[in-house]
Amino acid sequence: MPFTGKSGKFSAKINAVTIGTGDKAITVGGENVLPFYTFDEAIENAPKVGIEITDGGMDNEPECVKKCYEGCATVVDMAKKAATFEGVDFLSIRLEGGDPNGENKSTEELVQILKDIADAVDLPLVVCGCKNVEKDGELLDKASSALEGKNVVILSAREEDYKTIGASAGLAYKQIVGAESAVDINLAKQLNVLLTQLGVNGQRIVMNVGTAAAGYGFEYVVSTMDRVKAAALSQSDTTLQMPIITPVASEVWGVKEAMASEADMPEWGSLEERAIDMEVETAAAVLASGSNAVILRHPESVKTISQLIKELV
């Protein structure tokens, strides 16, 4: 008997969200099938790959990343160089220097860096804060204002500061709001509901549902993303139909496999190779679990994941 395959496409869809402006704008989401199920239905908007830099510039980069930016004197120089790497769809700027428990840079200094980068590159931008709730409320508010008209993602609004960031980024300055939760479908859904009740357009929200480096409790990440996508598509849950952006870099480059020196762990081999491997493995896993975009740090990781996506979509 001939085999007749059953389509796995759904009547529901993930929201399609456009980031950036002009010819370099990208769209994430829009699919009505599970990740990479192109045999069920064509995926119009392939997952996107971003590259991350920080306000610290070269000072805060691992040695194996620094050499990729050789000749760059400023953060803006790095942004220009990052925009030229193969496979880069968007640029992510993490303002980690604003942390009051760290360098405690002023909001004015950090916002000026953002403005300079926005003037220097035409890629879509994702702006990440310093992870201090109080400082991020002020910092991301000013960032939303400074980048008005650029259609950037302000990542992230959390349960503790969603009112401040949602009102500023989503309502006052018409940016895209990134809703950040901690690897829990119920928390992700609740935050989306709270943002939409605040008045933020659900079609202008993306989610960071949380992640971890591969091998570090990663089964929770996979199960959460799987459940989010299943609820969004098979149950037509509109509160979970926002596309997912996953900041892989900030997790991977802090684990021992990406940090332990070759002198300390000679049996692990090249530090650069294993760090890239960790980043690629984690990125591939979150994309297979439903992420619509990943943020990476090493240009070789970006190139590899970009090629993987092209082969699968």
Side-chain angles (χ1 to χ4, degrees), residues 13 49 105 119 136 144 150 174 180 250 252 267 281:
K13 280 188 174 186
V49 185
K105 292 181 181 178
D119 290 339
D136 277 351
S144 299
K150 298 289 187 180
K174 309 302 180 186
E180 179 182 347
S250 58
V252 166
E267 67 272 24
E281 290 162 5

Side-chain angles (χ1 to χ4, degrees), residues 25 46-47 70 86-87 90 99 110 113 137 148 169 176 226 233 240 279:
E70 188 175 356
E86 182 178 344
F90 64 94
D99 187 355
L110 294 172
I113 290 173
E148 188 173 11
I176 300 159
D226 284 347
L233 294 174
L240 289 170
E279 191 162 47

